[in-house]
């Protein structure tokens, strides 16, 4: 294991960071937890033109290695001291119980504090030291599937809130790496990986794990009758009547016909449905006109009744 491994940077996806901040802000108090991910060794090659000092050389190239840690998921316990004691000594059994549902390797841990400075405390330093001495994960090479070296679980993310309430700036976060040789937490840049052309390389190995579900359009009974007792004859008759009314309003386009919206018949069937909607809108406009006329008649009758009541009251006097 390389005890003095220096990370070039730490990366985390936007949704993962947002979920981490939301989990910390929605908790009733300070919390901590574990973070999971991988460490990659990225080999980059730089090509340059002819060097003036070597006139016979056509070109020169140089390669450099970058060690990048990628955070993929996290586990929040909902409290502090979830896997370590007040002196910062980690408990392997507690860590195993927290990481049981994570498919990735243990990369480090995080701490979320409120209204404190964004600097690691002595306890957090002790926890990072104890964690990195007990857990390690392989370094994956970008050019080879074999991993030849190991790295300590030394990543630490600190989330805090400002000491005074602010309307715009509400959260602060910083990433650190614990260096066993120096026994200190060194700050590292935290890159947020989002979806877009600039970040397309980060999602090159993405594969969907599940396909879209099939569209089930068949319907055995009316949805309006789910709560009724369909064991009785009257309930079944009422269900048939309700279904006929729904079919009449839909001009014969039942729910089972919706499957024709997917496939070769979709273009022609969509036009038929649009025509159905136009006819339904015409019916609605006709009904609205009838309602308006009936409302006018009701108002006229109401005024007539008011006059009659007024006349009767005058006669009784």
């Amino acid at each position: 294991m390389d005890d003095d491994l220096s990370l070039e940077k730490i990366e985390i996806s936007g949704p993962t960071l947002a979920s981490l901040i939301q989990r910390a802000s929605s908790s009733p108090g300070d919390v901590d937890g574990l973070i999971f991910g991988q460490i990659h060794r990225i080999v980059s090659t730089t090509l340059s033109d002819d060097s003036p000092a070597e006139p016979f050389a056509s070109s020169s190239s140089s390669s450099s290695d970058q060690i990048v840690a990628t955070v993929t998921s996290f586990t929040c316990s909902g409290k502090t001291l979830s896997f370590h004691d007040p002196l910062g000594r980690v408990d392997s059994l507690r860590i195993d119980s927290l990481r049981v549902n994570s498919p990735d390797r243990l990369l480090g841990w995080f701490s979320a504090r409120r209204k404190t400075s964004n600097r690691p405390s002595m306890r957090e330093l002790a926890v990072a030291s104890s964690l990195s001495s007990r857990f390690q994960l392989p370094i994956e090479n970008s050019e080879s599937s074999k991993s030849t070296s190991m790295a300590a679980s030394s990543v630490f993310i600190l989330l805090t809130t400002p000491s005074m309430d602010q309307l715009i700036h509400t959260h602060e976060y910083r990433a650190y790496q614990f260096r066993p040789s120096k026994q200190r937490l060194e700050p590292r840049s935290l890159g947020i990986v989002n979806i877009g052309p600039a970040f397309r390389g980060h999602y090159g190995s993405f594969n969907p794990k599940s396909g879209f579900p099939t569209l089930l359009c068949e319907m055995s009974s009316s949805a309006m009758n789910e709560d009724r007792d369909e064991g009785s004859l009257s309930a079944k008759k009422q269900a048939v009547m309700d279904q006929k009314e729904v079919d009449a309003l839909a001009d014969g386009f039942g729910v089972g016909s919706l499957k024709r919206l997917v496939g070769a018949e979709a273009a022609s069937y969509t036009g038929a449905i649009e025509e159905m909607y136009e006819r339904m809108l015409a019916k609605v406009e006709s009904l609205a006109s009838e309602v308006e006329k009936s409302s006018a008649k009701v108002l006229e009758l109401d005024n007539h009744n008011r006059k009659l009541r007024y006349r009767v009251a005058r006669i009784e006097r």
Side-chain angles (χ1 to χ4, degrees), residues 204-221:
S205 60
F206 172 77
N207 289 317
K209 295 183 179 179
S210 61
F212 288 105
T214 56
L215 179 62
L216 300 177
C217 302
E218 287 74 14
M219 185 179 67
S220 59
S221 61

Side-chain angles (χ1 to χ4, degrees), residues 178-197:
F178 179 76
R179 302 292 298 276
S181 60
K182 302 179 181 179
Q183 286 296 307
R184 68 179 183 182
L185 286 167
E186 296 183 351
R188 292 290 182 266
S189 62
L190 185 62
I192 303 175
V193 181
N194 292 313
I195 297 177

Side-chain angles (χ1 to χ4, degrees), residues 149-164:
S149 57
M150 304 292 290
S153 303
S154 57
V155 176
F156 172 62
I157 298 178
L158 177 61
L159 299 95
T160 59
T161 59
S163 57
M164 299 181 62

Side-chain angles (χ1 to χ4, degrees), residues 7 63 114 135 167 169:
L7 297 176
S63 60
R114 299 186 178 182
F135 295 91
L167 297 178
H169 186 65

